[in-house]
Each structure stands twice: as C-alpha cells, then as structure tokens.
Amino acid sequence: MLTAQSSLGIIFFPAFDWAISPTHPEREERLLYTQDQFREEGIFDIEGIREYRPLVAEEKDIMRAHFCFPSVQSVCTDSHFISAGGVIRAAQLVMQKERQRAFAVVRPPGHHAMRTVHGSRGFCNINIEAVMIEWIREHYGNLRVAVVDTDCHHGDGTQDIYWHDPDVLFISLHQDGRTLYPGTGFPSESGGPKALGRTINVPMPPRTSDEGYLMTVERIVMPILDHFKPDLIINSAGQDNHFSDPITNMNFTAQGYAKLTQMLKPDIAVLEGGYAIKGALPYVNLGISLALAGVDFSAVQEPDLDREKIREQKSTIDYLSALCDQLPDIYFNPRPSEAVRENGYFVRRRSIYYDTDDITETQVERLKDCPHCPGLLIVESETAKTPKSLGLHVPVQGCDMCSQEAEERFVKSRQAGFAHAQISDRVTKRYEYAK
Amino acid sequence: MLIGIDVGGTHTDGVCIRDGRVEAMAKVPTDHDNLLATITEALRAILKDCKSAEIRTINLSTTLSTNAIVTGHTEKVGMFVIPGPGIDANAYALGNQYHILSGCVDHRGAISAKVRVDQIRPMAARCREEGIRVYGVVGKFCTRNPEQETAIAEALAPQSDFVTQGHRVSESLNFGRRISTVYYNSAVWRTFNAFADALEQSLKDLNIQADINIVKADGGTMPLKLAREIPVQSIFSGPAASVMGILSTSPVTEDALILDIGGTTTDMAVLLDGVPLLERDGISIGEHPTLVRALKVESIGIGGDSFISSRDGQLRVGPDRHGPCMAAGGPAPALMDAMNVLGHAAFGDRERSAKGIKEVAMIQGLSARECAEQAVSLAMDILKKRVSAFLTAINARPVYTIQEILEDRVVRPASILVIGGPAVAMVPLLEETFGLPVVAPRHAEVANAIGACLTRPTQSLVLTVDTSRGSFTVPGLGIHKTVKRTYTLEEAVHDATTLLRAELDRQGIPAEDGDIQVIQADAFNMVEGHYTIGRNIRVRCQMRPGVITTLAS
Ligand SMILES: [Zn+2]
Ligand SMILES: [Zn+2]
Ligand SMILES: [Zn+2]
C-alpha cells in the first residue's frame, strides 16, 4: 500500500451545479475528469491522503480581504462562499496540524479579484487565497506569508490586495502580459511604498516549457523564499501553463507542475485557473497532489505528450536566464518608491475593468503614511451602477491611530456623500457596512 | 417458503419463513473444515418442521470465501494489468505473477496506446510453468472501454480455467481496488465453485428444488449462478446479514443506529431513512481495499465477554477477551459478569460472576457493586465515544454540489436497534447512555439467519454516455455501443432503468416499480472552443437494498 511522506488533505469541490454560463470555460464540467482521475487512481486510498468537504465562508471572512460594493451578497453566489470556505478548510487542516499540507481543488477561482469588488474579473469575484490568508491571520496572529502564483495569468488581484503589505510576499510567474490577459505583471510592479520589493513579477515568454519554467523557480523564487523565511507558503496553483490549455500559449506539463510543487513545498496549494479540462487538469491535479504528499509521481504523464514538440527554443532559455540574473535584485535591493504623495497619504488613481461582467470602476486609493504601521487604506470607488462608495481597511499590523481614523471616517461616511461604506478593521476585528 | 442460513464463526443458524412467520429454526455448531456438512445439518434440522417440496428459495450467507482468503487457502493467480501512465502500478502488486503491460485507455475511454497481445507470451509461459490456471486482467479506465482487457483475457483463455476481467467485477472507478478485487475473485473462484457444485448436489439429495442465492456484503443477495462468476462479492456478508435481520424484524423508516453486540465486539451500522448506509468505495481485505460493495460497518472492542481488569491502578474493560465470561464458565471476569452483579442480567452462574468481580474490586479498593458499576459505565463511555466518532465521520463525507452543501443532510439517529447475546440486558443502559429509544427485536438469537432469509437481491448498474464520441457503455453488462449525438439524459435514465429491469428479469429477480432507484443522473456539457460538442452523461441506478417482507408481529 502506498503511503504519503507528508500527510495531505484534499478539499475537492467540483461544484457540479454551478457555471458562469453553459459554454464558459468555468463550467460544471471543469473538474469532472479530475474527479474521474482521482477516483481511478485511488489517491484517497493512499495512506496519509484524505478528502475533506469545504466549509461555507461567512460574510466577515470575505470582508477581511475585500471591499464589496454595494454588499457582499451582491457580488458572491453560494458557489463563491463555498469555494472560499474550501480554502479556509485547507488552512484549518494545516494550522490545526491535522494535516501537514492541504490542496484546495475548488472552483470558482479567485486570483484576479482585487481589494475592491464590483463583480467578476477574469472569472474571479472573491480572492480565495486572500480570504484564507486573512482568516489565518485573524485566528493565528500576523504570520509572514509567501504567495507563489503559478497560474499562467498574472495574479493581479492578489498583487493588489497585498501591494502595501510588507508581511506578505507575492511572487507571480506568468506568461508575459504583452501577450495575455490581464496585460500586467511586469518587473517594475514591485510593491507599494510601504512594501517595496514584496511583489515580484516574473513574465515569461510564450511557449516556455518545463526546463525554462523550473529554472526560473529555482533561480528566482527559491533564493527569495529562503531569505524571506515565511511562516507559510501558499501556492496559487493555476494550471493554465499547460501545453494543451486553450486560452494561453505556454508549454508546461504535468511532470513540470509536479516538480515545481516538489521544489516549492507549499503548505497549502489552491487551484486557480486551468481550462484544458480533459487533457491537462486530471494529470496536473494528480501530479501536484502526489508531489504534495511526497508520493512518487514519476509515472504521471499526459497520454498524448510529445516532449520534443513542446521543448522551448534556445532563445527562450537565454531570455529567461537573463531574467533570472536580474529579477532577484528587485527583492534584495528594492528601488526607492515613486509613489505620489498628497497631504500625508500615498495616492493611486485608477480605472479598473471587470472583463467578465463588463463593469468599469473608477477608484482613488489613499494609503496613510503612518510612522507606526503600514497604514490605513482608504478607497473611494464608483461604477455606472454603484454610486460613490468608501472602503476603509486597517491592516492586521495596524496601529491605534489608524484604527481611530478609520472609525471617524466610517461614522461620517454618509455626511461625506458616500452611498455605501465598508470598514474592515483588522485590529478591532470590526467588519461592517454603514447603515 | 423461504430458507435463510447464516454460517457464523461459532454457530450456523437457519430459519424457515412462510408468510412472514418463522416456521422453523435451527442452530448447529460451525465446522469450518466442512461447511457443506454444517449447512446440510442445519437444513436437515429445519426440514424436520417443514416440507422440502415447498421451499422456493434458499438464501445463504457463508464465510467460505472469507475464510479461504483469511487463512490463505487461495489459489495462485496470474495477474495482467494495463495501467498506462499514473501512479506506479507496482504499488498494487499481488501474487508473484504480476505483469504490467503497455497500452493505455484514458478517462474518456479513448485508447491512446494499444496493448500488444503478443507481449504476454513469455509472461504467460512463466505462469504455465508455475501451474497457474486462474487469471485476472485489469486495465485502468477499463470500465470506460474494456476492449484491451478482453483482448488479453482471450489470449489467456487457452491456458486458463477462469479469467476475471476488471470491468466485470465493478462498475466503479478505482484501478488499485479493482486489481485486488479481481485478484481475490480469481483466487477463491475454484473453492467457491467446488462448494456450489457440492451444495447443489446436496440439495438434490434432500429433494429440495429451490433457487439458491448468496448474501453479499452490501446487504443484498445474488443468484448462485452469478456468484459462481463473482464469488468475491460473498465475502464479509455476516454483518450485512445481521443488519438485514434487524430490518426484517423491526421496520424502520427514519435514521437509526444498529448495534450488534457480540461476545468480543460490537458492530455498528447506520440506517439513513431506513436504508442501510454503504461504504463509499468498498470493503478492505486485510490491507487491500477492494471494490466489493459493503454496508458501512465498524467494530468496537466491547462485548459481553470484554475482560475487566485493573492495570496500573486503573479499571479497564476490553478490548481483549479471555474466553467467555465467568458466568459461562470462563476464566476471568467480563462485562456480562458486571451486568449480572448489577442485576441487569441473570445469565448463567451468577455466583461465579460475583466472585470474579469481587477479585477485581478488591484490587481497586471498591465494593463489588461499585466496581461493576464503574466497569459498565466505562464500557458505555467507550461505546458512546466510538459511535459519535462514527457518526461524525459519516457526516463529514465529501459532497460535490452546492445544493448538497447547503442542504447538509446530517445523519441523526432517532432510535437504536440492538441484537446479539448481551443486547437485551443492555437495553436500559443504552437508553440512558444515548438518550434514545432502544429496541431489541424478537428472534434476536437467529436474526442473521432471518436477515439472510428475507434480504432482497441487489444489483446496480452504471451507464456512461459521451455523445461527442457517440459512445454508450454499461460495463457491468458488457454493453458498449454507439448512440446518436442527440441522445439525452432522459433517454439515459430510461435506458439504464430498462436495462436493469431486464437484467433482473433475466436473473428471475422480481422487482416492483419503486424498487429501482436512480441514484445519480448527471449530464455535463462538453465544450471545445466556444461550442458545445456534446454531453457527458452518467446514470447510476440500483435495486434498492431492503427486505422482501418484514416478520408479522
Ligand atoms: Zn501567475
Ligand atoms: Zn489563469
Ligand atoms: Zn498606523
């Protein structure tokens, strides 16, 4: 009988009764073949690997990580609460030491969901990793967390949520934004003024395969992780780098994903994207699960794999090698901030497009330049449908002064002309909407 | 007139039931080396009270296959597996003639690498040299496409008496479990068939012309003819017989807990709306999980003969047994003795019980009564803890739809049904411990045989359709054909239930309309690019597990 070297909990939630639309990539069929493969391979018969059902997240779990306008209910369906609850379950298993590692194979995904939510971006409404990390920090104190996003798309949502957080290191490896949605994720995006070098973006050329991908992990990700010494490593395990994925252009394989997992040794992996649901997901999910459990995965392979056909050209390897030489510097020697300062606040004015729901949001973000903490975050946001709304977020490392200022602004929000206001004070654990 | 026989570890029980009434009962000691003689003896005893010509059906729950496996009296099997990529198939190796072949079927049933039949020649030759005459062939995803399995089985046919093919033992997915299921099926095939031959002869000698059914671990029966093909399904049917025995003596429609309290252990099972809960995948044989469908039963190391001792200054009950309790002439005090001392029971020699308990009580510095009280409450605590963990695990079972999560159907027993020797004496204690009504059905002493007698045949069927490939598969019936692209879920449900009904008819199993239950009916749109290219349809239906009739009160 096979035995896991690291005990592993898998939260498998295929949401067989939920889809964005009948022919949408994010539909009922998406995890069907993964379930077939898991069952046929009998992975839950491996000693040390167990299947768990998800929890259902509560509104306050969502509100720790997000400003949802006009309300949490308006942007979350049941499936979002369950998918977020699935990753909370994963965290619970690991934090309570019931399992050494956990893998949340749930849908819908979340890494394009930013701090403020008006609807769906890139099939994501709720950032399930962020909801989980904030749940962990609420219950276990402020841990240092590293999120390594290996989805083929830039994890712009997770980047946004942790842009100002010095205790969360966010590393995203993805297909170059000049060739793929959402078109961001360049090395110059390296963290807000209070968290310089805590965001690392690794754009890779199209058709990168196992050799190039694993080289970037080894030469960029691993040294930074070694230095950052996180309490927890989270892997946003998107599977759309696969050579058969229909909406991307990379050439990664199930073996590659398994080796990446073996190298990274994440405490918790969370399924993100990946839409080659017949040709990739069953094999990649199997490979990742076995690697997480420390079970031999060398015989896991796609039936139609032709290694020669997908091997990267030398020019691709050379390009990546140069990237490997330069990128770690962003973390080790961050450049001084170019952030705009106005009256004691750092200010970003942005327009954010929600491609899945066709919403355009106008946003002004202010971060208090607080001498005691990473600072109160104030967001003013509006769309054609939702009038001017206010979000106030006191970070988990926040100070009393920031907490007090948030409270004052929250109380006066109506007077100040905001139709909706949400406060998320991580210090006082207050998560509310203005009535 | 129906006959039920349950071959137990110590005794073999038999009953004869007519119109819901027990007409005859028999209890004979089990001779494990000659089960046929034991069964014949039980039949003879029953026949004293009823006429052989009137017997229509004999249902038999036997330990034959289980014993063969547990004692290692099984035949050598030549195994041929076709794993394709995935978890290393060596992890499932059984026997010393275990051969891994090339070839690959993927989850859709598409053959992505052809198995080469000629490559088995040297392996088959080695099996021949070892005198191997039974074989097993298992392919990964063979339930989606058994072509390769069948090809290898055909190639082995000339040198074999029997070949078990993976897609015939279970319609469920799980390659590793299928390998052990197939292996054990072939390993007990000859023993079972020799027994079946002798049994048929013996019935002829007794002038009995009846249908013979074998009780399965899932609480259903299968005709002897089918059991000859899949004898592995008859393993571990004992607990199923007792659960069905309870169902046939006290009809239940709610959630209930079943406790079969024996000498050494207590087996627990759960009824969900009156229907027994099954293991998700299948039962394990030793360390090898299989796909043999079985009722979910768990054992607790507490029974009437559980040894009461004082170790490190602490009073303990179970899990070991040092022979029967003192009241029954045993060497050491046991739970039943404590029950005697407390007046809960009046079993056997109560003087001896008192003497035994007193000895332990002295070490503990307690009175005999205090000691007995503590022992009994300790035993109840253990039962309660284990039952609650059992229910928690059941209620934590994974679910896969939003609706299931939100509905959150929690199993909450409304009553407890108990059988077994010490059960009746424990009724008030169990009521107090669990705060639930506790019922001990009549005829508890032969409940297993009654269960065997009245349990209905079960049969399940899985139909998978991929309308983009036009493939239609019912592995259990060996049906693999093509359908039109417009085939719908409604048609699939209709076809699955019709096929199951036809199969039940073919086996001579009566089924009413409500007996066939559709337990899964899913259709998934399959999309390529932006177009729906077809539907992936999965229908699973079964003959609902249950009893033919309940005993008249
Ligand atoms: Zn990414
Ligand atoms: Zn993606
Ligand atoms: Zn502050």
Side-chain angles (χ1 to χ4, degrees):
Chain A
M1 192 141 127
L2 287 165
T3 304
Q5 281 172 21
S6 310
S7 62
L8 172 67
I10 296 180
I11 296 87
F12 182 74
F13 192 71
F16 282 153
D17 48 357
W18 181 82
I20 288 185
S21 70
T23 59
H24 196 281
E26 188 48 79
R27 63 181 179 275
E28 296 92 336
E29 185 194 4
R30 194 172 156 226
L31 292 178
L32 182 64
Y33 310 109
T34 293
Q35 184 179 53
D36 285 350
Q37 198 78 33
F38 276 6
R39 288 224 168 124
E40 181 67 351
E41 296 284 0
I43 73 162
F44 299 115
D45 286 333
I46 296 173
E47 179 83 46
I49 301 184
R50 253 188 73 184
E51 185 177 9
Y52 294 84
R53 72 153 86 180
L55 302 170
V56 183
E58 295 174 33
E59 276 197 20
K60 67 168 186 256
D61 295 325
I62 313 283
M63 290 167 79
R64 279 184 211 116
H66 290 292
F67 300 133
C68 297
F69 296 124
S71 66
V72 174
Q73 289 293 341
S74 68
V75 298
C76 284
T77 63
D78 288 335
S79 54
H80 295 104
F81 282 107
I82 296 171
S83 152
V87 288
I88 291 178
R89 185 79 181 107
Q92 202 182 52
L93 291 173
V94 171
M95 298 310 291
Q96 293 176 349
K97 300 202 165 25
E98 181 169 341
R99 298 275 123 176
Q100 284 163 287
R101 291 181 180 162
F103 186 14
V105 188
V106 297
R107 50 179 288 268
H111 76 147
H112 294 305
M114 298 191 168
R115 168 79 63 190
T116 305
V117 180
H118 287 276
S120 181
R121 301 182 68 249
F123 324 156
C124 304
N125 294 49
I126 291 303
N127 195 305
I128 52 181
E129 282 93 347
V131 167
M132 170 183 75
I133 292 167
E134 296 320 307
W135 180 91
I136 292 173
R137 300 209 288 189
E138 183 93 340
H139 293 91
Y140 294 89
N142 181 29
L143 302 181
R144 281 163 75 81
V145 180
V147 180
V148 181
D149 183 321
T150 50
D151 187 280
C152 190
H153 300 90
H154 174 224
D156 56 348
T158 316
Q159 169 171 310
D160 181 63
I161 293 172
Y162 293 108
W163 186 251
H164 298 299
D165 193 326
D167 292 337
V168 176
L169 170 69
F170 176 68
I171 306 178
S172 178
L173 300 103
H174 45 263
Q175 183 179 328
D176 195 315
R178 289 169 295 190
T179 62
L180 190 70
Y181 177 89
T184 51
F186 299 102
S188 56
E189 301 158 39
S190 61
K194 297 278 195 165
L196 288 170
R198 291 293 197 253
T199 294
I200 308 291
N201 281 300
V202 187
M204 289 183 284
R207 286 181 294 284
T208 298
S209 188
D210 291 11
E211 189 193 336
Y213 201 108
L214 295 173
M215 177 177 74
T216 54
V217 175
E218 197 180 309
R219 289 175 55 191
I220 299 173
V221 180
M222 298 321 289
I224 295 176
L225 286 179
D226 282 346
H227 183 270
F228 184 69
K229 295 192 175 50
D231 299 308
L232 273 177
I233 297 176
I234 315 292
N235 180 202
S236 289
Q239 309 188 346
D240 36 10
N241 291 292
H242 195 263
F243 64 85
S244 68
D245 199 277
I247 62 175
T248 61
N249 315 96
M250 301 285 269
N251 279 337
F252 212 32
T253 68
Q255 270 298 310
Y257 269 106
K259 284 181 186 150
L260 154 73
T261 309
Q262 192 178 41
M263 214 189 287
L264 204 57
K265 296 187 179 54
D267 299 284
I268 301 162
V270 179
L271 175 67
E272 277 292 343
Y275 301 96
I277 62 176
K278 292 193 204 92
L281 259 59
Y283 311 104
V284 176
N285 280 321
L286 178 66
I288 292 178
S289 300
L290 295 180
L292 283 170
V295 175
D296 172 35
F297 55 77
S298 57
V300 175
Q301 190 186 293
E302 302 81 346
D304 52 352
L305 176 68
D306 180 349
R307 276 212 174 272
E308 281 319 305
K309 238 171 82 185
I310 57 166
R311 197 181 297 284
E312 52 272 87
Q313 295 181 328
K314 187 172 176 301
S315 58
T316 304
I317 294 288
D318 291 345
Y319 176 91
L320 283 167
S321 186
L323 210 59
C324 290
D325 289 337
Q326 297 154 20
L327 268 177
D329 215 38
I330 294 172
Y331 170 84
F332 290 104
N333 300 299
R335 280 208 226 141
S337 169
E338 292 166 5
V340 181
R341 287 179 62 126
E342 289 173 13
N343 311 320
Y345 295 87
F346 297 102
V347 184
R348 285 201 289 176
R349 291 188 169 78
R350 298 190 288 173
S351 169
I352 296 163
Y353 182 61
Y354 294 67
D355 59 309
T356 311
D357 280 350
D358 190 22
I359 299 168
T360 303
E361 175 197 0
T362 346
Q363 192 193 91
V364 184
E365 180 204 86
R366 289 190 176 81
L367 179 78
K368 188 179 169 70
D369 185 9
C370 176
H372 310 293
C373 78
L376 163 67
L377 185 74
I378 307 162
V379 172
E380 294 174 27
S381 164
E382 82 181 287
T383 71
K385 267 204 302 207
T386 310
K388 231 169 95 179
S389 304
L390 175 70
L392 299 157
H393 182 262
V394 183
V396 71
Q397 318 90 323
C399 69
D400 290 349
M401 269 161 57
C402 285
S403 195
Q404 208 171 353
E405 180 177 339
E407 173 68 29
E408 281 159 17
R409 287 177 179 268
F410 184 61
V411 173
K412 289 189 203 141
S413 62
R414 287 281 187 204
Q415 278 164 271
F418 292 103
H420 310 281
Q422 182 198 323
I423 185 169
S424 297
D425 188 334
R426 302 301 313 280
V427 176
T428 58
K429 300 190 178 179
R430 180 173 175 202
Y431 311 102
E432 272 172 49
Y433 283 96
K435 299 240 169 53
Chain B
M1 210 157 61
L2 312 167
I3 300 260
I5 292 177
D6 175 63
V7 179
T10 330
H11 289 109
T12 291
D13 300 335
V15 293
C16 168
I17 294 175
R18 186 206 300 267
D19 301 330
R21 273 171 217 292
V22 177
E23 300 253 303
M25 278 194 239
K27 207 178 202 42
V28 300
T30 302
D31 175 0
H32 287 283
D33 298 323
N34 195 348
L35 286 181
L36 186 66
T38 308
I39 292 165
T40 312
E41 198 189 330
L43 275 172
R44 283 221 167 86
I46 291 171
L47 284 175
K48 277 183 207 146
D49 297 315
C50 49
K51 287 202 194 79
S52 58
E54 288 174 26
I55 302 171
R56 277 193 291 113
T57 308
I58 297 179
N59 285 355
L60 178 67
S61 162
T62 168
T63 53
L64 181 83
S65 301
T66 317
N67 276 349
I69 292 169
V70 172
T71 57
H73 289 114
T74 52
E75 187 170 352
K76 273 191 175 178
V77 183
M79 290 296 289
F80 291 80
V81 301
I82 314 162
I87 291 175
D88 185 358
N90 282 304
Y92 310 118
L94 273 163
N96 65 350
Q97 289 294 336
Y98 180 83
H99 303 285
I100 295 175
L101 308 180
S102 60
C104 171
V105 172
D106 73 9
H107 53 85
R108 285 165 287 183
I111 295 175
S112 54
K114 261 193 138 47
V115 69
R116 281 180 32 234
V117 175
D118 59 337
Q119 73 173 317
I120 72 164
R121 253 182 238 143
M123 310 164 187
R126 255 175 286 150
C127 292
R128 261 198 321 269
E129 280 159 28
E130 281 206 22
I132 291 176
R133 299 291 302 169
V134 290
Y135 293 88
V137 185
V138 189
K140 192 175 284 174
F141 285 115
C142 63
T143 56
R144 298 278 159 85
N145 183 347
E147 224 177 287
Q148 307 211 346
E149 250 179 29
T150 306
I152 300 296
E154 273 166 16
L156 289 166
Q159 69 183 63
S160 64
D161 295 333
F162 187 70
V163 184
T164 308
Q165 292 185 49
H167 72 282
R168 300 313 296 269
V169 295
S170 170
E171 62 284 286
S172 296
L173 294 177
N174 196 317
F175 183 56
R177 284 176 181 261
R178 200 179 307 120
I179 289 172
S180 37
T181 313
V182 162
Y183 173 88
Y184 285 114
N185 195 60
S186 285
V188 299
W189 174 83
R190 196 178 306 278
T191 309
F192 188 88
N193 275 272
F195 168 77
D197 290 341
L199 179 66
E200 282 179 328
Q201 184 57 49
S202 163
L203 292 180
K204 212 182 253 174
D205 297 344
L206 290 168
N207 269 327
I208 299 175
Q209 272 184 311
D211 296 330
I212 306 168
N213 297 312
I214 303 296
V215 178
K216 300 185 290 177
D218 69 355
T221 62
M222 60 180 164
L224 184 63
K225 192 166 158 252
L226 183 64
R228 284 172 173 275
E229 300 278 308
I230 319 176
V232 72
Q233 297 281 4
S234 70
I235 56 164
F236 301 121
S237 57
S242 59
V243 169
M244 301 317 281
I246 288 180
L247 277 184
S248 51
T249 44
S250 24
V252 183
T253 51
E254 61 203 10
D255 289 2
L257 175 71
I258 289 180
L259 296 177
D260 180 353
I261 305 173
T264 323
T265 57
T266 294
D267 286 345
M268 56 185 161
V270 157
L271 302 180
L272 197 63
D273 293 329
V275 179
L277 197 68
L278 292 170
E279 278 291 349
R280 185 167 112 173
D281 297 304
I283 206 164
S284 286
I285 298 176
E287 290 201 327
H288 303 281
T290 75
L291 286 173
V292 174
R293 269 163 54 109
L295 300 191
K296 195 166 181 58
V297 176
E298 229 175 81
S299 267
I300 312 169
I302 287 289
D305 298 336
S306 288
F307 175 50
I308 299 177
S309 65
S310 170
R311 239 181 308 149
D312 314 324
Q314 238 185 331
L315 194 68
R316 287 162 203 265
V317 182
D320 24 338
R321 170 185 191 265
H322 292 187
C325 59
M326 290 191 71
L335 186 57
M336 203 62 196
D337 295 311
M339 307 268 298
N340 264 347
V341 167
L342 294 175
H344 293 308
F347 176 77
D349 185 346
R350 294 174 67 183
E351 299 277 301
R352 290 206 63 198
S353 290
K355 188 170 151 266
I357 294 293
K358 206 171 197 169
E359 275 167 25
V360 190
M362 293 219 331
I363 306 172
Q364 287 283 310
L366 298 167
S367 74
R369 198 175 168 80
E370 284 168 336
C371 177
E373 257 165 14
Q374 286 187 15
V376 168
S377 92
L378 208 58
M380 290 297 139
D381 279 354
I382 295 170
L383 278 183
K384 192 171 184 185
K385 268 197 201 111
R386 293 291 308 274
V387 164
S388 130
F390 184 60
L391 292 174
T392 304
I394 288 170
N395 286 326
R397 69 200 178 281
V399 291
Y400 303 112
T401 60
I402 291 160
Q403 202 188 335
E404 284 174 297
I405 288 257
L406 299 179
E407 276 175 3
D408 205 13
R409 171 72 170 89
V410 171
V411 181
R412 258 192 217 95
S415 62
I416 301 177
L417 299 152
V418 291
I419 51 166
V424 180
M426 286 193 195
V427 169
L429 288 167
L430 292 167
E431 272 183 338
E432 199 188 307
T433 305
F434 289 92
L436 292 171
V438 177
V439 182
R442 287 170 304 133
H443 301 301
E445 66 284 7
V446 287
N448 284 34
I450 294 174
C453 189
L454 295 181
T455 195
R456 280 202 313 210
T458 49
Q459 174 102 26
S460 63
L461 175 150
V462 171
L463 187 163
T464 320
V465 175
D466 177 339
T467 63
S468 80
R469 295 173 61 234
S471 69
F472 174 109
T473 313
V474 184
L477 301 179
I479 299 173
H480 304 278
K481 57 171 195 175
T482 51
V483 285
K484 55 189 191 316
R485 297 174 67 93
T486 51
Y487 190 83
T488 63
L489 177 62
E490 289 69 38
E491 288 175 86
V493 169
H494 176 263
D495 286 349
T497 47
T498 309
L499 284 168
L500 180 57
R501 178 169 291 280
E503 178 60 15
L504 292 169
D505 280 349
R506 199 182 65 76
Q507 292 180 17
I509 298 169
E512 306 204 349
D513 274 345
D515 294 343
I516 292 179
Q517 199 181 19
V518 177
I519 41 183
Q520 181 195 5
D522 292 326
F524 296 91
N525 280 334
M526 301 165 69
V527 178
E528 232 160 72
H530 292 285
Y531 301 99
T532 305
I533 53 160
R535 276 170 308 282
N536 194 302
I537 299 173
R538 284 124 192 248
V539 177
R540 182 181 283 260
C541 57
Q542 69 172 358
M543 173 91 172
R544 201 161 47 87
V547 290
I548 294 163
T549 175
T550 50
L551 287 189
S553 42

